Amino acid sequence: MTVLLFCSRESQELVCRGSMASPLLAREGRHQQRYDNQLRLVAGCIPYKLNTDGDNQSCDLLDRVEVLMVTSPGRLDLVFPKGGWENDETAGEAACREALEEAGVRGTLNDTALGVWEFRSKSTQKACSLEGTCKGYMFALEVTEELDCYPEKDSRDRKWVPVGEAYKLCRYDWMRKALDSFKDLLRGRRIPTVPELSEPPSLCIVKPSAADRAIALC
């Protein structure tokens, strides 16, 4: 089952005027940040779309899927959109917000979490304490809208890549494990339930995804 999480257009839509983007800026500060003991909770997603190129008619869904990756500010390596999970939103809503802020995309979020992974922020890779350690919940987002103007457009580049290439571009092992779960999800395989996320997300409607329809056609 997939769900469409509504993003408030008043709070999350950009208005483009010429080369100017306004009024929304990405959320800043951590006054609403969620923590699990000393672990900072983050949420993110693997944005994806079906390649409709007429030259690729493979019935293997994954051969026709591309995922969206973004650069980190000041770095060239590619990652998936993610960021702090705040206390006024569900994990799914946080993942949708980060996808909009960092990658400028909206879409249909699958309510089955790909998993949860613990990792360090890039600035604390060599630290010995728990400080700087994140606990990240990842989802799959089927992109239905790609915006030209979005909050972090000037600080990040975005790139659509085939799933196989994404494995090579991932900087961290946990990202490749998230891709493994993503592939299992698209193939209809069972994904282990994340206990903390067993409650249904708020503000959602059930909607069949294009990937579901493609599987049915094959």
Side-chain angles (χ1 to χ4, degrees):
M1 178 175 64
T2 57
V3 298
L4 177 63
L5 293 182
F6 292 106
C7 296
S8 167
R9 289 186 178 271
E10 179 179 338
S11 64
Q12 293 202 343
E13 183 162 301
L14 290 170
V15 177
C16 298
R17 298 184 178 91
S19 60
M20 300 293 290
S22 66
L24 179 68
L25 296 176
R27 286 193 181 190
E28 295 182 351
R30 296 187 178 178
H31 57 286
Q32 295 192 86
Q33 172 66 55
R34 293 182 189 236
Y35 288 89
D36 179 1
N37 294 320
Q38 298 183 59
L39 303 179
R40 178 178 177 237
L41 300 186
V42 303
C45 63
I46 298 179
Y48 72 98
K49 66 180 180 181
L50 289 176
N51 188 337
T52 57
D53 187 343
D55 293 334
N56 187 350
Q57 295 297 325
S58 172
C59 200
D60 186 339
L61 179 65
L62 289 173
D63 287 343
R64 293 184 283 145
V65 167
E66 293 183 343
V67 297
L68 184 63
M69 305 185 76
V70 297
T71 58
S72 299
R75 300 168 67 105
L76 296 178
D77 55 306
L78 292 165
V79 297
F80 298 116
K82 69 182 186 309
W85 174 11
E86 301 192 347
N87 58 25
D88 63 344
E89 59 191 353
T90 67
E93 289 165 348
C96 286
R97 174 176 55 78
E98 292 295 336
L100 177 62
E101 291 179 355
E102 296 187 359
V105 293
R106 292 193 182 96
T108 305
L109 188 81
N110 194 300
D111 64 344
T112 299
L114 299 176
V116 56
W117 290 273
E118 292 184 10
F119 53 89
R120 289 192 174 277
S121 63
K122 59 180 178 290
S123 60
T124 61
Q125 288 293 306
K126 297 181 180 180
C128 296
S129 68
L130 284 177
E131 184 178 358
T133 302
C134 299
K135 186 176 182 180
Y137 300 83
M138 295 294 290
F139 297 85
L141 178 77
E142 184 177 10
V143 173
T144 58
E145 185 179 5
E146 191 170 349
L147 305 178
D148 292 327
C149 298
Y150 51 98
E152 299 186 24
K153 176 181 174 64
D154 292 337
S155 59
R156 297 179 185 270
D157 293 326
R158 58 186 178 184
K159 182 178 182 181
W160 287 102
V161 298
V163 175
E165 184 178 346
Y167 273 97
K168 300 175 184 178
L169 294 172
C170 287
R171 180 178 176 87
Y172 304 111
D173 286 340
W174 74 265
M175 294 180 186
R176 284 181 279 272
K177 292 177 180 177
L179 274 173
D180 288 340
S181 293
F182 171 74
K183 289 168 61 177
D184 285 342
L185 184 71
L186 291 194
R187 285 173 170 158
R189 297 173 181 168
R190 183 179 179 276
I191 303 289
T193 301
V194 177
E196 304 97 312
L197 299 179
S198 58
E199 292 299 319
S202 62
L203 298 176
C204 64
I205 60 172
V206 176
K207 179 181 179 181
S209 70
D212 295 334
R213 294 190 293 272
I215 292 174
L217 290 173
C218 287

